[in-house]
Amino acid sequence: MALLITDECINCDVCEPECPNDAIAMGVDYYVIDPHKCTECVGHFDEPQCRQVCPVECIPLNPEWVESKEQLMAKYLRLTAEKAGK
């Protein structure tokens, strides 16, 4: 699953730089996570870094974007290859 940021976000700016996949960006009212880039930090860390630093715990799993660990690893490998190719 990808993660998502709820409207409880206080725009504290700590999650965005922690994302190794550049999946977090400022949305209209609060930060958002691009599910096409979010791997829950699979391939980078044991736990999602954005969740580790979020002071209001507003980053749950996205129920509309269900993925297995294998799918997350495949996404990580694709993103890593794309980044290396740039």
Side-chain angles (χ1 to χ4, degrees), residues 3-4 10 19 23 29-31 38 41 48 53 57 76:
L3 300 170
L4 84 116
I10 60 172
C19 182
D29 296 315
Y30 51 90
Y31 281 91
C38 179
C41 289
V53 298
E57 299 179 5
Y76 159 77

Side-chain angles (χ1 to χ4, degrees), residues 13-84:
D13 305 319
V14 298
C15 62
E16 183 182 25
E18 294 299 319
C19 182
N21 296 320
D22 299 322
I24 301 174
M26 188 62 191
V28 175
D29 296 315
Y30 51 90
Y31 281 91
V32 295
I33 297 176
D34 179 347
H36 295 97
K37 293 182 177 180
C38 179
T39 63
E40 294 181 50
C41 289
V42 167
H44 294 284
F45 301 101
D46 291 335
E47 294 185 40
Q49 298 301 288
C50 59
R51 289 176 108 180
Q52 294 286 77
V53 298
C54 181
V56 294
E57 299 179 5
C58 67
I59 309 175
L61 292 172
N62 185 340
E64 296 179 12
W65 203 271
V66 179
E67 297 169 294
S68 68
K69 290 289 182 190
E70 292 79 19
Q71 289 171 309
L72 291 169
M73 180 56 80
K75 188 189 311 185
Y76 159 77
L77 293 172
R78 177 182 54 79
L79 291 169
T80 303
E82 288 174 4
K83 200 174 212 179

